[in-house]
Amino acid sequence: MFAGLAHLPALLLAVSGGPDSTALLVLAARWRAGLDAGPRLVAATVDHGLRRGAAAEALAVAALAGDLGLAHHTLRWTGDKPAAGLQEAARAARYRLLAEAARAAGAAHVLTAHTRDDQAETVLFRLARGSGVAGLAGMARVSPLPVSGPAPPPARPAGGARDGALWLVRPFLDIPKARLVATLAAAGIPWADDPSNRDPRFTRSRLRGMLPGLAAEGLSAARLAQLAARMRRADAALEAAVERLAADLAVPDLRPGAAATIAAAGWVRAPAELRLRLLGRLVAAAGTEGPVELGKLEDVAEALAAACAGPAPAARFRRTLAGAMVTLSGGRLTIEPAPPRRHGRNAAPAPAGPVPNPTET
């Protein structure tokens, strides 16, 4: 489960105190103890300040980490909490705090305890939102840590950090939650129970409650995880094809705020999925309003393809999308930052960090 991590200088373990992350703490410590040399392990618990028992749970994790010979830090989310979108805001705060703790610990990799059950919930969640192939691929074992900051390199580096990039590693992604619970029970190690995981106000909690019934019909967590693996394989093939299309059309290196001009005829001849993905990349780079919604991207791509094709292609086409201007003129397709909004309001600055992938939406 921890293959490929032994050569790293340090690892930050995200441990909430629940059964999955407690197993991560115990098994990572057991793995490290069996090595002659290996990474320094540091545990971190995020106290979101949303539950009365969270502080006591963080103390229990600190005590267990101490028994295992590991350093531990409690990270607190302070300030006002939003009334709407609380889980999304808490997730963003959690990853921001973990990123700060990782940098302080000299670690480029943050380990979380996402399991196969979590993968199944993610697939269901994205299926309900109408996600495409990339979204249904679910979570990857290794991915960039989702925080603002310098863009990571396009592939996981062979060792350590590069250009300050931080990486999220999910070593339990193929492991059922029940296996982790059984491991802790056999070792006599207690864990905390977070009642918010069963709160019906949250979509994930409701989906979690549906999983036993779906499993009875054959749609088990294992089947959903298998679907995610197959979607990830298909997504990788599509992304490779988009890279070839971008090279054929001489698309420049994409950076936040970058503009690009390509031949419309070459773009419209490509299969629909490939031209959609390439347009999404260009809009995400040039845009100033955050991630591109897949549905809106599909609408613009379809209208643009209709304008490019046919016996009498449109002389001019112009649409704005996510802060980017998409223009067809003289057989050339240009995607650039949209001009400032009317009424004196300037366009938002280009987002920091890696260019998002709209096909995950």
Side-chain angles (χ1 to χ4, degrees), residues 58-272:
L59 289 174
V61 173
L64 178 58
D67 292 341
L68 295 169
L70 305 186
H72 176 271
H73 303 285
T74 297
L75 316 175
R76 292 181 173 83
W77 182 27
T78 58
D80 296 334
K81 309 298 190 294
L86 180 60
Q87 283 201 319
E88 292 80 1
R91 178 180 182 273
R94 178 165 62 252
Y95 283 129
R96 174 179 56 79
L97 291 168
L98 290 171
E100 293 171 358
R103 291 191 174 102
H109 297 75
V110 177
L111 273 60
T112 63
H114 292 103
T115 66
R116 189 169 71 185
D117 300 70
D118 297 311
Q119 182 75 296
E121 291 170 15
T122 297
V123 172
L124 282 178
F125 183 81
R126 294 181 179 179
L127 186 63
R129 294 176 62 188
S131 294
V133 172
L136 296 180
M139 298 179 285
R141 174 181 166 85
V142 180
S143 60
L145 193 70
V147 292
S148 297
R156 180 166 62 96
R162 188 170 70 189
D163 299 330
L166 296 177
W167 297 89
L168 187 64
V169 183
R170 302 177 176 95
F172 295 162
L173 203 53
D174 295 327
I175 306 298
K177 180 186 182 75
R179 289 286 303 276
L180 300 180
V181 170
T183 296
L184 294 180
I189 297 173
W191 62 85
D193 175 53
D194 183 353
S196 66
N197 288 329
R198 299 182 297 277
D199 193 329
R201 293 177 300 170
F202 302 129
T203 303
R204 277 191 176 271
S205 298
R206 296 194 298 272
L207 291 174
R208 188 174 297 125
M210 294 170 57
L211 282 172
L214 292 174
E217 298 297 332
L219 193 59
S220 63
R223 288 285 177 85
L224 288 166
Q226 184 182 58
L227 171 64
R230 289 170 174 168
M231 289 297 101
R232 182 162 297 280
R233 188 174 65 212
D235 183 60
L238 289 168
E239 285 296 291
V242 173
E243 291 289 344
R244 290 194 295 272
L245 176 62
D248 290 344
L249 296 179
V251 174
D253 291 337
L254 298 181
R255 301 178 305 278
T261 298
I262 59 176
W267 177 82
V268 78
R269 282 197 300 266

Side-chain angles (χ1 to χ4, degrees), residues 2-3 5-7 11 26-35 38-39 41 111:
F2 302 102
L5 303 175
H7 67 289
L11 299 171
V26 171
L27 293 176
R30 185 184 299 174
W31 164 73
R32 177 60 185 86
L35 300 176
L41 303 184
L111 273 60

Side-chain angles (χ1 to χ4, degrees), residues 288-289 323 337-350:
T288 59
E289 297 178 0
R341 293 179 182 274
R342 297 178 180 178
H343 310 300
R345 291 185 300 167
N346 292 328

